[in-house]
Amino acid sequence: PLLVLLSGLGLAQKAVPATLSAGQFSTVYNFFSFAIAAMGASTIFFFLSRSEVGPKYRIAMLVSGLVVSIAGYHYLRIFNSWDAAYTLKDGAYVFSGQPFNDAYRYVDWLLTVPLLLLETVAVLALPAVQSRSLIWRLVIASALMIILGYPGEIGTLTARFWWGLASTVPFIYILWLLWGELGRAASRQKPEVQLYSRNMKLLLLFSWGVYPIAYALPMLGITGGEAVIGVQVGYTIADVLAKPIFGLLAYAIAITKTRQDLGLSEDDELVPNPTAVS
Ligand code: RET
């Protein structure tokens, strides 16, 4: 699969429909533009928020900032590639001859998914030995999931089905691991954090679940322009949920736990620089 991925990245091209309606083209165009704004703005937010949380949680905010900045760069490239792939002719968008490069997305996931998993484990602040083994299992499974999914993304529908199925195995393993771990971690927290941890679990399941659904659209009888639009819009919505929105929830958990570590009540003001927290 790694070789297929590498040769696929070399091809770096996806069969896109020859023509799109103006509405179809602009829908994807606007979603990409929205994603650039969301990733860019949240990059600033997460980097600045580092100094607001206790030392234990700073790594989670840093990783969150890295994830959205990497994604922001990739969305800029995807946006430009989409823009170059079509030209306006007599009110419709026709293929320009420049391939739409969808490989950015998979390279993005290869970098950001392990980081997101690291962020999740970091914000739970588990004992070091436990989190190290958990992170390794998650990182390896997530790399497998993405590498196995890519050949299907650029192949025929049959290839899409089989590679997608193979990719689903590590996907289920990750969800199963995280569901258990997040559940156990949540039960150890104080009530306020418990609610956030439960929401984190749900957001993770919901946002990660959108990816395989978007991937499956072309196999569900949706074809041509509609399939391309469905896949791109689906992945973009999922990315905004899984990166900036997920990061915000991690921030809420970090702030709440910082307050608790300092022995502050909900109404107390958070000290500007809580370096005193161990
Ligand atoms: C693929 C292929 C089809 C089967 C499955 C997939 C899952 C992809 C996922 C991606 C998650 C990406 C995230 C990115 C955020 O930075 C590869 C589409 C199961 C779950 C969270």
PDB file of all heavy atoms in Angstrom, residues 67 71 106 108-109 112-113 116 145-150 153 160 163-165 167-169 171-172 207-209 211-212 215-216 235 238-239 242-243, ligand 1:
ATOM      1  N   VAL A  67      -1.795  21.574  14.140  1.00  0.00           N
ATOM      2  CA  VAL A  67      -2.776  20.877  13.290  1.00  0.00           C
ATOM      3  C   VAL A  67      -3.490  21.870  12.362  1.00  0.00           C
ATOM      4  O   VAL A  67      -3.540  21.675  11.148  1.00  0.00           O
ATOM      5  CB  VAL A  67      -3.808  20.114  14.156  1.00  0.00           C
ATOM      6  CG1 VAL A  67      -5.003  19.679  13.338  1.00  0.00           C
ATOM      7  CG2 VAL A  67      -3.159  18.921  14.825  1.00  0.00           C
ATOM      8  N   ALA A  71      -3.174  22.340   8.274  1.00  0.00           N
ATOM      9  CA  ALA A  71      -4.391  22.220   7.463  1.00  0.00           C
ATOM     10  C   ALA A  71      -4.645  23.509   6.670  1.00  0.00           C
ATOM     11  O   ALA A  71      -5.090  23.452   5.518  1.00  0.00           O
ATOM     12  CB  ALA A  71      -5.585  21.898   8.348  1.00  0.00           C
ATOM     13  N   TYR A 106      -4.648  13.876   1.648  1.00  0.00           N
ATOM     14  CA  TYR A 106      -4.135  12.671   2.308  1.00  0.00           C
ATOM     15  C   TYR A 106      -2.812  12.957   3.005  1.00  0.00           C
ATOM     16  O   TYR A 106      -2.536  12.414   4.072  1.00  0.00           O
ATOM     17  CB  TYR A 106      -4.045  11.518   1.298  1.00  0.00           C
ATOM     18  CG  TYR A 106      -5.391  10.845   1.144  1.00  0.00           C
ATOM     19  CD1 TYR A 106      -6.404  11.451   0.416  1.00  0.00           C
ATOM     20  CD2 TYR A 106      -5.687   9.654   1.786  1.00  0.00           C
ATOM     21  CE1 TYR A 106      -7.662  10.874   0.320  1.00  0.00           C
ATOM     22  CE2 TYR A 106      -6.937   9.060   1.696  1.00  0.00           C
ATOM     23  CZ  TYR A 106      -7.917   9.675   0.966  1.00  0.00           C
ATOM     24  OH  TYR A 106      -9.156   9.104   0.886  1.00  0.00           O
ATOM     25  N   ASP A 108      -2.081  15.817   4.238  1.00  0.00           N
ATOM     26  CA  ASP A 108      -2.525  16.583   5.403  1.00  0.00           C
ATOM     27  C   ASP A 108      -2.947  15.634   6.530  1.00  0.00           C
ATOM     28  O   ASP A 108      -2.519  15.786   7.668  1.00  0.00           O
ATOM     29  CB  ASP A 108      -3.701  17.490   5.006  1.00  0.00           C
ATOM     30  CG  ASP A 108      -4.194  18.319   6.179  1.00  0.00           C
ATOM     31  OD1 ASP A 108      -3.477  19.259   6.566  1.00  0.00           O
ATOM     32  OD2 ASP A 108      -5.275  18.022   6.717  1.00  0.00           O
ATOM     33  N   TRP A 109      -3.753  14.642   6.197  1.00  0.00           N
ATOM     34  CA  TRP A 109      -4.225  13.688   7.216  1.00  0.00           C
ATOM     35  C   TRP A 109      -3.064  12.915   7.828  1.00  0.00           C
ATOM     36  O   TRP A 109      -3.045  12.664   9.026  1.00  0.00           O
ATOM     37  CB  TRP A 109      -5.226  12.710   6.618  1.00  0.00           C
ATOM     38  CG  TRP A 109      -6.522  13.340   6.224  1.00  0.00           C
ATOM     39  CD1 TRP A 109      -6.972  14.586   6.569  1.00  0.00           C
ATOM     40  CD2 TRP A 109      -7.542  12.766   5.400  1.00  0.00           C
ATOM     41  NE1 TRP A 109      -8.207  14.804   6.019  1.00  0.00           N
ATOM     42  CE2 TRP A 109      -8.573  13.715   5.298  1.00  0.00           C
ATOM     43  CE3 TRP A 109      -7.669  11.545   4.749  1.00  0.00           C
ATOM     44  CZ2 TRP A 109      -9.732  13.476   4.559  1.00  0.00           C
ATOM     45  CZ3 TRP A 109      -8.819  11.305   4.019  1.00  0.00           C
ATOM     46  CH2 TRP A 109      -9.843  12.260   3.928  1.00  0.00           C
ATOM     47  N   THR A 112      -1.716  15.414  10.272  1.00  0.00           N
ATOM     48  CA  THR A 112      -2.588  15.968  11.313  1.00  0.00           C
ATOM     49  C   THR A 112      -3.304  14.914  12.156  1.00  0.00           C
ATOM     50  O   THR A 112      -3.578  15.164  13.317  1.00  0.00           O
ATOM     51  CB  THR A 112      -3.634  16.937  10.724  1.00  0.00           C
ATOM     52  OG1 THR A 112      -4.388  16.253   9.726  1.00  0.00           O
ATOM     53  CG2 THR A 112      -2.990  18.166  10.140  1.00  0.00           C
ATOM     54  N   VAL A 113      -3.602  13.749  11.586  1.00  0.00           N
ATOM     55  CA  VAL A 113      -4.333  12.750  12.383  1.00  0.00           C
ATOM     56  C   VAL A 113      -3.494  12.262  13.568  1.00  0.00           C
ATOM     57  O   VAL A 113      -3.979  12.267  14.695  1.00  0.00           O
ATOM     58  CB  VAL A 113      -4.872  11.601  11.499  1.00  0.00           C
ATOM     59  CG1 VAL A 113      -5.473  10.503  12.349  1.00  0.00           C
ATOM     60  CG2 VAL A 113      -5.917  12.134  10.533  1.00  0.00           C
ATOM     61  N   LEU A 116      -3.573  15.025  16.079  1.00  0.00           N
ATOM     62  CA  LEU A 116      -4.865  15.128  16.765  1.00  0.00           C
ATOM     63  C   LEU A 116      -5.000  14.066  17.849  1.00  0.00           C
ATOM     64  O   LEU A 116      -5.535  14.328  18.930  1.00  0.00           O
ATOM     65  CB  LEU A 116      -6.011  14.952  15.770  1.00  0.00           C
ATOM     66  CG  LEU A 116      -6.456  16.198  15.018  1.00  0.00           C
ATOM     67  CD1 LEU A 116      -7.455  15.820  13.949  1.00  0.00           C
ATOM     68  CD2 LEU A 116      -7.083  17.196  15.986  1.00  0.00           C
ATOM     69  N   MET A 145      -4.665   3.491   8.244  1.00  0.00           N
ATOM     70  CA  MET A 145      -6.002   3.866   7.768  1.00  0.00           C
ATOM     71  C   MET A 145      -5.898   4.797   6.557  1.00  0.00           C
ATOM     72  O   MET A 145      -6.595   4.626   5.555  1.00  0.00           O
ATOM     73  CB  MET A 145      -6.754   4.541   8.919  1.00  0.00           C
ATOM     74  CG  MET A 145      -8.076   5.166   8.547  1.00  0.00           C
ATOM     75  SD  MET A 145      -8.800   6.035   9.954  1.00  0.00           S
ATOM     76  CE  MET A 145      -8.000   7.627   9.841  1.00  0.00           C
ATOM     77  N   ILE A 146      -5.015   5.787   6.646  1.00  0.00           N
ATOM     78  CA  ILE A 146      -4.917   6.789   5.575  1.00  0.00           C
ATOM     79  C   ILE A 146      -4.229   6.221   4.342  1.00  0.00           C
ATOM     80  O   ILE A 146      -4.678   6.410   3.211  1.00  0.00           O
ATOM     81  CB  ILE A 146      -4.185   8.039   6.112  1.00  0.00           C
ATOM     82  CG1 ILE A 146      -5.038   8.682   7.206  1.00  0.00           C
ATOM     83  CG2 ILE A 146      -3.914   9.031   4.993  1.00  0.00           C
ATOM     84  CD1 ILE A 146      -4.255   9.518   8.167  1.00  0.00           C
ATOM     85  N   ILE A 147      -3.132   5.460   4.568  1.00  0.00           N
ATOM     86  CA  ILE A 147      -2.388   4.880   3.445  1.00  0.00           C
ATOM     87  C   ILE A 147      -3.270   3.891   2.675  1.00  0.00           C
ATOM     88  O   ILE A 147      -3.270   3.858   1.450  1.00  0.00           O
ATOM     89  CB  ILE A 147      -1.104   4.198   3.958  1.00  0.00           C
ATOM     90  CG1 ILE A 147      -0.131   5.275   4.449  1.00  0.00           C
ATOM     91  CG2 ILE A 147      -0.454   3.342   2.889  1.00  0.00           C
ATOM     92  CD1 ILE A 147       1.071   4.741   5.205  1.00  0.00           C
ATOM     93  N   LEU A 148      -4.062   3.108   3.406  1.00  0.00           N
ATOM     94  CA  LEU A 148      -4.926   2.127   2.736  1.00  0.00           C
ATOM     95  C   LEU A 148      -6.088   2.805   2.012  1.00  0.00           C
ATOM     96  O   LEU A 148      -6.590   2.296   1.016  1.00  0.00           O
ATOM     97  CB  LEU A 148      -5.477   1.121   3.757  1.00  0.00           C
ATOM     98  CG  LEU A 148      -4.469   0.112   4.307  1.00  0.00           C
ATOM     99  CD1 LEU A 148      -5.077  -0.680   5.468  1.00  0.00           C
ATOM    100  CD2 LEU A 148      -4.016  -0.844   3.213  1.00  0.00           C
ATOM    101  N   GLY A 149      -6.520   3.971   2.494  1.00  0.00           N
ATOM    102  CA  GLY A 149      -7.657   4.636   1.849  1.00  0.00           C
ATOM    103  C   GLY A 149      -7.294   5.303   0.535  1.00  0.00           C
ATOM    104  O   GLY A 149      -8.119   5.381  -0.380  1.00  0.00           O
ATOM    105  N   TYR A 150      -6.041   5.757   0.395  1.00  0.00           N
ATOM    106  CA  TYR A 150      -5.677   6.575  -0.765  1.00  0.00           C
ATOM    107  C   TYR A 150      -5.791   5.892  -2.128  1.00  0.00           C
ATOM    108  O   TYR A 150      -6.340   6.491  -3.061  1.00  0.00           O
ATOM    109  CB  TYR A 150      -4.276   7.182  -0.574  1.00  0.00           C
ATOM    110  CG  TYR A 150      -3.969   8.205  -1.640  1.00  0.00           C
ATOM    111  CD1 TYR A 150      -4.656   9.420  -1.664  1.00  0.00           C
ATOM    112  CD2 TYR A 150      -3.046   7.945  -2.641  1.00  0.00           C
ATOM    113  CE1 TYR A 150      -4.405  10.354  -2.655  1.00  0.00           C
ATOM    114  CE2 TYR A 150      -2.796   8.890  -3.624  1.00  0.00           C
ATOM    115  CZ  TYR A 150      -3.473  10.088  -3.630  1.00  0.00           C
ATOM    116  OH  TYR A 150      -3.241  11.011  -4.607  1.00  0.00           O
ATOM    117  N   GLU A 153      -9.148   6.232  -3.400  1.00  0.00           N
ATOM    118  CA  GLU A 153      -9.571   7.596  -3.724  1.00  0.00           C
ATOM    119  C   GLU A 153      -9.276   7.937  -5.189  1.00  0.00           C
ATOM    120  O   GLU A 153     -10.032   8.670  -5.827  1.00  0.00           O
ATOM    121  CB  GLU A 153      -8.841   8.578  -2.803  1.00  0.00           C
ATOM    122  CG  GLU A 153      -9.326  10.010  -2.842  1.00  0.00           C
ATOM    123  CD  GLU A 153     -10.653  10.199  -2.107  1.00  0.00           C
ATOM    124  OE1 GLU A 153     -10.699  10.026  -0.873  1.00  0.00           O
ATOM    125  OE2 GLU A 153     -11.637  10.499  -2.789  1.00  0.00           O
ATOM    126  N   ARG A 160     -12.048   1.486  -5.003  1.00  0.00           N
ATOM    127  CA  ARG A 160     -12.524   2.329  -3.912  1.00  0.00           C
ATOM    128  C   ARG A 160     -13.176   1.488  -2.820  1.00  0.00           C
ATOM    129  O   ARG A 160     -12.950   1.696  -1.634  1.00  0.00           O
ATOM    130  CB  ARG A 160     -13.526   3.339  -4.488  1.00  0.00           C
ATOM    131  CG  ARG A 160     -13.767   4.558  -3.622  1.00  0.00           C
ATOM    132  CD  ARG A 160     -14.692   5.539  -4.310  1.00  0.00           C
ATOM    133  NE  ARG A 160     -14.836   6.728  -3.506  1.00  0.00           N
ATOM    134  CZ  ARG A 160     -14.056   7.796  -3.581  1.00  0.00           C
ATOM    135  NH1 ARG A 160     -13.079   7.836  -4.448  1.00  0.00           N
ATOM    136  NH2 ARG A 160     -14.242   8.822  -2.785  1.00  0.00           N
ATOM    137  N   TRP A 163     -10.230  -0.950  -1.062  1.00  0.00           N
ATOM    138  CA  TRP A 163      -9.275  -0.177  -0.251  1.00  0.00           C
ATOM    139  C   TRP A 163     -10.015   0.504   0.907  1.00  0.00           C
ATOM    140  O   TRP A 163      -9.505   0.587   2.026  1.00  0.00           O
ATOM    141  CB  TRP A 163      -8.536   0.873  -1.091  1.00  0.00           C
ATOM    142  CG  TRP A 163      -7.529   0.280  -2.037  1.00  0.00           C
ATOM    143  CD1 TRP A 163      -7.613   0.239  -3.403  1.00  0.00           C
ATOM    144  CD2 TRP A 163      -6.279  -0.363  -1.698  1.00  0.00           C
ATOM    145  NE1 TRP A 163      -6.507  -0.385  -3.927  1.00  0.00           N
ATOM    146  CE2 TRP A 163      -5.674  -0.764  -2.908  1.00  0.00           C
ATOM    147  CE3 TRP A 163      -5.635  -0.641  -0.485  1.00  0.00           C
ATOM    148  CZ2 TRP A 163      -4.442  -1.419  -2.948  1.00  0.00           C
ATOM    149  CZ3 TRP A 163      -4.402  -1.294  -0.529  1.00  0.00           C
ATOM    150  CH2 TRP A 163      -3.830  -1.674  -1.743  1.00  0.00           C
ATOM    151  N   GLY A 164     -11.224   0.972   0.626  1.00  0.00           N
ATOM    152  CA  GLY A 164     -12.030   1.614   1.674  1.00  0.00           C
ATOM    153  C   GLY A 164     -12.336   0.636   2.797  1.00  0.00           C
ATOM    154  O   GLY A 164     -12.254   0.967   3.982  1.00  0.00           O
ATOM    155  N   LEU A 165     -12.638  -0.609   2.403  1.00  0.00           N
ATOM    156  CA  LEU A 165     -12.948  -1.647   3.389  1.00  0.00           C
ATOM    157  C   LEU A 165     -11.707  -1.937   4.241  1.00  0.00           C
ATOM    158  O   LEU A 165     -11.792  -2.030   5.470  1.00  0.00           O
ATOM    159  CB  LEU A 165     -13.411  -2.913   2.663  1.00  0.00           C
ATOM    160  CG  LEU A 165     -14.152  -3.939   3.508  1.00  0.00           C
ATOM    161  CD1 LEU A 165     -15.488  -3.377   3.980  1.00  0.00           C
ATOM    162  CD2 LEU A 165     -14.382  -5.223   2.705  1.00  0.00           C
ATOM    163  N   SER A 167      -9.234   0.055   4.826  1.00  0.00           N
ATOM    164  CA  SER A 167      -8.961   1.222   5.658  1.00  0.00           C
ATOM    165  C   SER A 167      -9.893   1.285   6.871  1.00  0.00           C
ATOM    166  O   SER A 167      -9.548   1.849   7.914  1.00  0.00           O
ATOM    167  CB  SER A 167      -9.116   2.468   4.784  1.00  0.00           C
ATOM    168  OG  SER A 167      -9.203   3.617   5.539  1.00  0.00           O
ATOM    169  N   THR A 168     -11.067   0.682   6.727  1.00  0.00           N
ATOM    170  CA  THR A 168     -12.050   0.715   7.809  1.00  0.00           C
ATOM    171  C   THR A 168     -11.602  -0.128   9.014  1.00  0.00           C
ATOM    172  O   THR A 168     -12.001   0.150  10.143  1.00  0.00           O
ATOM    173  CB  THR A 168     -13.421   0.226   7.283  1.00  0.00           C
ATOM    174  OG1 THR A 168     -13.753   1.036   6.151  1.00  0.00           O
ATOM    175  CG2 THR A 168     -14.521   0.389   8.305  1.00  0.00           C
ATOM    176  N   VAL A 169     -10.747  -1.136   8.770  1.00  0.00           N
ATOM    177  CA  VAL A 169     -10.304  -2.000   9.877  1.00  0.00           C
ATOM    178  C   VAL A 169      -9.518  -1.189  10.924  1.00  0.00           C
ATOM    179  O   VAL A 169      -9.925  -1.145  12.088  1.00  0.00           O
ATOM    180  CB  VAL A 169      -9.507  -3.221   9.344  1.00  0.00           C
ATOM    181  CG1 VAL A 169      -8.984  -4.062  10.504  1.00  0.00           C
ATOM    182  CG2 VAL A 169     -10.375  -4.051   8.404  1.00  0.00           C
ATOM    183  N   PHE A 171      -9.543   1.959  11.219  1.00  0.00           N
ATOM    184  CA  PHE A 171     -10.472   3.023  11.651  1.00  0.00           C
ATOM    185  C   PHE A 171     -11.303   2.557  12.853  1.00  0.00           C
ATOM    186  O   PHE A 171     -11.401   3.247  13.873  1.00  0.00           O
ATOM    187  CB  PHE A 171     -11.367   3.405  10.461  1.00  0.00           C
ATOM    188  CG  PHE A 171     -12.467   4.382  10.772  1.00  0.00           C
ATOM    189  CD1 PHE A 171     -12.171   5.696  11.123  1.00  0.00           C
ATOM    190  CD2 PHE A 171     -13.802   4.013  10.693  1.00  0.00           C
ATOM    191  CE1 PHE A 171     -13.180   6.602  11.401  1.00  0.00           C
ATOM    192  CE2 PHE A 171     -14.818   4.915  10.965  1.00  0.00           C
ATOM    193  CZ  PHE A 171     -14.505   6.221  11.321  1.00  0.00           C
ATOM    194  N   ILE A 172     -11.876   1.355  12.726  1.00  0.00           N
ATOM    195  CA  ILE A 172     -12.701   0.805  13.816  1.00  0.00           C
ATOM    196  C   ILE A 172     -11.842   0.589  15.071  1.00  0.00           C
ATOM    197  O   ILE A 172     -12.260   0.877  16.188  1.00  0.00           O
ATOM    198  CB  ILE A 172     -13.351  -0.545  13.383  1.00  0.00           C
ATOM    199  CG1 ILE A 172     -14.232  -0.354  12.147  1.00  0.00           C
ATOM    200  CG2 ILE A 172     -14.123  -1.188  14.534  1.00  0.00           C
ATOM    201  CD1 ILE A 172     -15.560   0.287  12.370  1.00  0.00           C
ATOM    202  N   SER A 207     -17.417  13.575  13.876  1.00  0.00           N
ATOM    203  CA  SER A 207     -16.597  14.178  12.819  1.00  0.00           C
ATOM    204  C   SER A 207     -15.812  13.112  12.046  1.00  0.00           C
ATOM    205  O   SER A 207     -15.756  13.137  10.827  1.00  0.00           O
ATOM    206  CB  SER A 207     -15.658  15.238  13.390  1.00  0.00           C
ATOM    207  OG  SER A 207     -14.791  14.673  14.337  1.00  0.00           O
ATOM    208  N   TRP A 208     -15.231  12.153  12.740  1.00  0.00           N
ATOM    209  CA  TRP A 208     -14.472  11.096  12.056  1.00  0.00           C
ATOM    210  C   TRP A 208     -15.389  10.221  11.216  1.00  0.00           C
ATOM    211  O   TRP A 208     -14.985   9.699  10.193  1.00  0.00           O
ATOM    212  CB  TRP A 208     -13.687  10.248  13.070  1.00  0.00           C
ATOM    213  CG  TRP A 208     -12.489  10.967  13.625  1.00  0.00           C
ATOM    214  CD1 TRP A 208     -12.461  12.250  14.107  1.00  0.00           C
ATOM    215  CD2 TRP A 208     -11.157  10.473  13.742  1.00  0.00           C
ATOM    216  NE1 TRP A 208     -11.190  12.561  14.523  1.00  0.00           N
ATOM    217  CE2 TRP A 208     -10.377  11.488  14.319  1.00  0.00           C
ATOM    218  CE3 TRP A 208     -10.554   9.241  13.425  1.00  0.00           C
ATOM    219  CZ2 TRP A 208      -9.012  11.327  14.576  1.00  0.00           C
ATOM    220  CZ3 TRP A 208      -9.196   9.085  13.688  1.00  0.00           C
ATOM    221  CH2 TRP A 208      -8.447  10.114  14.257  1.00  0.00           C
ATOM    222  N   GLY A 209     -16.622  10.087  11.652  1.00  0.00           N
ATOM    223  CA  GLY A 209     -17.584   9.287  10.899  1.00  0.00           C
ATOM    224  C   GLY A 209     -17.952   9.892   9.552  1.00  0.00           C
ATOM    225  O   GLY A 209     -18.366   9.184   8.636  1.00  0.00           O
ATOM    226  N   TYR A 211     -15.917  11.228   7.362  1.00  0.00           N
ATOM    227  CA  TYR A 211     -14.927  10.907   6.311  1.00  0.00           C
ATOM    228  C   TYR A 211     -15.299   9.665   5.497  1.00  0.00           C
ATOM    229  O   TYR A 211     -15.386   9.739   4.271  1.00  0.00           O
ATOM    230  CB  TYR A 211     -13.524  10.756   6.903  1.00  0.00           C
ATOM    231  CG  TYR A 211     -12.955  12.028   7.500  1.00  0.00           C
ATOM    232  CD1 TYR A 211     -13.053  12.301   8.848  1.00  0.00           C
ATOM    233  CD2 TYR A 211     -12.307  12.972   6.700  1.00  0.00           C
ATOM    234  CE1 TYR A 211     -12.524  13.454   9.404  1.00  0.00           C
ATOM    235  CE2 TYR A 211     -11.782  14.132   7.244  1.00  0.00           C
ATOM    236  CZ  TYR A 211     -11.890  14.370   8.595  1.00  0.00           C
ATOM    237  OH  TYR A 211     -11.376  15.520   9.136  1.00  0.00           O
ATOM    238  N   PRO A 212     -15.520   8.515   6.166  1.00  0.00           N
ATOM    239  CA  PRO A 212     -15.889   7.349   5.361  1.00  0.00           C
ATOM    240  C   PRO A 212     -17.211   7.523   4.616  1.00  0.00           C
ATOM    241  O   PRO A 212     -17.377   6.964   3.526  1.00  0.00           O
ATOM    242  CB  PRO A 212     -15.962   6.205   6.376  1.00  0.00           C
ATOM    243  CG  PRO A 212     -15.847   6.804   7.718  1.00  0.00           C
ATOM    244  CD  PRO A 212     -15.274   8.161   7.581  1.00  0.00           C
ATOM    245  N   TYR A 215     -16.412   9.508   1.542  1.00  0.00           N
ATOM    246  CA  TYR A 215     -15.638   8.609   0.666  1.00  0.00           C
ATOM    247  C   TYR A 215     -16.563   7.641  -0.078  1.00  0.00           C
ATOM    248  O   TYR A 215     -16.337   7.300  -1.246  1.00  0.00           O
ATOM    249  CB  TYR A 215     -14.654   7.851   1.543  1.00  0.00           C
ATOM    250  CG  TYR A 215     -13.720   6.875   0.871  1.00  0.00           C
ATOM    251  CD1 TYR A 215     -12.444   7.263   0.499  1.00  0.00           C
ATOM    252  CD2 TYR A 215     -14.095   5.541   0.660  1.00  0.00           C
ATOM    253  CE1 TYR A 215     -11.563   6.361  -0.073  1.00  0.00           C
ATOM    254  CE2 TYR A 215     -13.215   4.632   0.089  1.00  0.00           C
ATOM    255  CZ  TYR A 215     -11.948   5.036  -0.270  1.00  0.00           C
ATOM    256  OH  TYR A 215     -11.080   4.140  -0.828  1.00  0.00           O
ATOM    257  N   ALA A 216     -17.607   7.212   0.617  1.00  0.00           N
ATOM    258  CA  ALA A 216     -18.507   6.202   0.046  1.00  0.00           C
ATOM    259  C   ALA A 216     -19.511   6.783  -0.948  1.00  0.00           C
ATOM    260  O   ALA A 216     -20.106   6.030  -1.725  1.00  0.00           O
ATOM    261  CB  ALA A 216     -19.251   5.481   1.173  1.00  0.00           C
ATOM    262  N   TYR A 235     -15.601  16.165   3.212  1.00  0.00           N
ATOM    263  CA  TYR A 235     -14.282  16.178   3.859  1.00  0.00           C
ATOM    264  C   TYR A 235     -14.014  17.539   4.520  1.00  0.00           C
ATOM    265  O   TYR A 235     -13.416  17.610   5.588  1.00  0.00           O
ATOM    266  CB  TYR A 235     -13.174  15.924   2.831  1.00  0.00           C
ATOM    267  CG  TYR A 235     -13.037  14.489   2.352  1.00  0.00           C
ATOM    268  CD1 TYR A 235     -12.420  14.190   1.140  1.00  0.00           C
ATOM    269  CD2 TYR A 235     -13.489  13.422   3.125  1.00  0.00           C
ATOM    270  CE1 TYR A 235     -12.262  12.884   0.691  1.00  0.00           C
ATOM    271  CE2 TYR A 235     -13.345  12.112   2.680  1.00  0.00           C
ATOM    272  CZ  TYR A 235     -12.728  11.847   1.461  1.00  0.00           C
ATOM    273  OH  TYR A 235     -12.576  10.559   1.030  1.00  0.00           O
ATOM    274  N   ALA A 238     -16.008  17.872   7.716  1.00  0.00           N
ATOM    275  CA  ALA A 238     -15.402  16.987   8.718  1.00  0.00           C
ATOM    276  C   ALA A 238     -14.097  17.586   9.246  1.00  0.00           C
ATOM    277  O   ALA A 238     -13.828  17.545  10.449  1.00  0.00           O
ATOM    278  CB  ALA A 238     -15.154  15.610   8.110  1.00  0.00           C
ATOM    279  N   ASP A 239     -13.286  18.171   8.357  1.00  0.00           N
ATOM    280  CA  ASP A 239     -12.008  18.756   8.770  1.00  0.00           C
ATOM    281  C   ASP A 239     -12.200  19.934   9.716  1.00  0.00           C
ATOM    282  O   ASP A 239     -11.442  20.104  10.665  1.00  0.00           O
ATOM    283  CB  ASP A 239     -11.213  19.233   7.539  1.00  0.00           C
ATOM    284  CG  ASP A 239     -10.327  18.137   6.969  1.00  0.00           C
ATOM    285  OD1 ASP A 239     -10.115  17.125   7.649  1.00  0.00           O
ATOM    286  OD2 ASP A 239      -9.826  18.310   5.835  1.00  0.00           O
ATOM    287  N   ALA A 242     -13.245  18.367  13.009  1.00  0.00           N
ATOM    288  CA  ALA A 242     -12.218  17.543  13.663  1.00  0.00           C
ATOM    289  C   ALA A 242     -10.999  18.348  14.099  1.00  0.00           C
ATOM    290  O   ALA A 242     -10.245  17.901  14.949  1.00  0.00           O
ATOM    291  CB  ALA A 242     -11.783  16.411  12.736  1.00  0.00           C
ATOM    292  N   LYS A 243     -10.790  19.532  13.494  1.00  0.00           N
ATOM    293  CA  LYS A 243      -9.580  20.294  13.852  1.00  0.00           C
ATOM    294  C   LYS A 243      -9.901  21.535  14.690  1.00  0.00           C
ATOM    295  O   LYS A 243      -9.663  21.519  15.898  1.00  0.00           O
ATOM    296  CB  LYS A 243      -8.769  20.589  12.600  1.00  0.00           C
ATOM    297  CG  LYS A 243      -8.272  19.284  11.969  1.00  0.00           C
ATOM    298  CD  LYS A 243      -7.357  19.515  10.798  1.00  0.00           C
ATOM    299  CE  LYS A 243      -7.918  18.999   9.522  1.00  0.00           C
ATOM    300  NZ  LYS A 243      -6.939  18.180   8.760  1.00  0.00           N
TER     301      LYS A 243
HETATM  302  C1  RET B   1     -10.879   6.998   4.528  1.00  0.00           C
HETATM  303  C2  RET B   1     -11.023   5.887   3.478  1.00  0.00           C
HETATM  304  C3  RET B   1     -12.287   5.147   3.597  1.00  0.00           C
HETATM  305  C4  RET B   1     -12.417   4.449   4.916  1.00  0.00           C
HETATM  306  C5  RET B   1     -12.071   5.353   6.054  1.00  0.00           C
HETATM  307  C6  RET B   1     -11.403   6.557   5.892  1.00  0.00           C
HETATM  308  C7  RET B   1     -11.251   7.367   7.089  1.00  0.00           C
HETATM  309  C8  RET B   1     -10.725   8.559   7.207  1.00  0.00           C
HETATM  310  C9  RET B   1     -10.653   9.319   8.415  1.00  0.00           C
HETATM  311  C10 RET B   1      -9.960  10.464   8.377  1.00  0.00           C
HETATM  312  C11 RET B   1      -9.799  11.356   9.443  1.00  0.00           C
HETATM  313  C12 RET B   1      -9.171  12.489   9.258  1.00  0.00           C
HETATM  314  C13 RET B   1      -9.006  13.500  10.237  1.00  0.00           C
HETATM  315  C14 RET B   1      -8.364  14.584   9.842  1.00  0.00           C
HETATM  316  C15 RET B   1      -8.181  15.707  10.652  1.00  0.00           C
HETATM  317  O1  RET B   1      -7.157  16.270  10.738  1.00  0.00           O
HETATM  318  C16 RET B   1      -9.398   7.265   4.587  1.00  0.00           C
HETATM  319  C17 RET B   1     -11.619   8.214   4.011  1.00  0.00           C
HETATM  320  C18 RET B   1     -12.494   4.868   7.413  1.00  0.00           C
HETATM  321  C19 RET B   1     -11.337   8.861   9.637  1.00  0.00           C
HETATM  322  C20 RET B   1      -9.541  13.360  11.605  1.00  0.00           C
END
